[in-house]
Amino acid sequence: DTVNTASRMESNGFPMAIHVSEPTKVLLADSEEGWVEYGRRQIKGKGEMTTYLAKVGAWQDAIKVRDAQNVSRTKSDLGIGIGSPAAPTPATTPVSSTNPAFLSAFEHTPVER
């Protein structure tokens, strides 16, 4: 179960960000200031889970994606933009560096190594 959950966090995660489940966050939390709740997400094979991002790396970019998706869903719920495709959701479209919804949510800057 641990390996499956870790795999799901990675496949539903974000480039250069640490994305964890609630039990993992509880085990690793030194303080509440080091984590931000991403929110409830539908995780394949696990159901709906509350997930968190460590406040390191590109966590702020992931929050921008979440906020952009929430705005798109709200507009869709209100009937704004009827006739256009619905906003992608994590349950149907994992957010990743190859997902156009992720790339369009903010300007992608390559990381030099």
Side-chain angles (χ1 to χ4, degrees):
D1 186 54
T2 301
V3 171
N4 184 36
T5 300
S7 175
R8 297 302 182 195
M9 291 297 100
E10 192 278 331
S11 65
N12 287 276
F14 310 92
M16 305 303 293
I18 299 171
H19 182 224
V20 300
S21 64
E22 189 166 28
T24 300
K25 182 250 183 195
V26 169
L27 289 171
L28 298 176
D30 292 326
S31 74
E32 290 299 314
E33 297 167 5
W35 300 92
V36 62
E37 183 177 320
Y38 187 82
R40 306 264 319 152
R41 301 186 74 189
Q42 188 67 30
I43 306 296
K44 181 180 175 184
K46 304 298 292 178
E48 194 168 280
M49 299 176 71
T50 300
T51 63
Y52 295 84
L53 297 168
K55 289 185 178 179
V56 297
W59 71 273
Q60 292 170 318
D61 293 337
I63 295 301
K64 289 177 187 176
V65 170
R66 177 197 65 190
D67 293 346
Q69 288 176 341
N70 287 342
V71 167
S72 294
R73 278 191 221 116
T74 300
K75 286 181 179 179
S76 176
D77 293 343
L78 295 173
I80 298 171
I82 293 177
S84 61
T89 63
T92 58
T93 308
V95 178
S96 72
S97 61
T98 59
N99 182 319
F102 178 80
L103 296 174
S104 67
F106 64 96
E107 184 175 309
H108 180 70
T109 305
V111 176
E112 292 187 31
R113 295 179 189 209

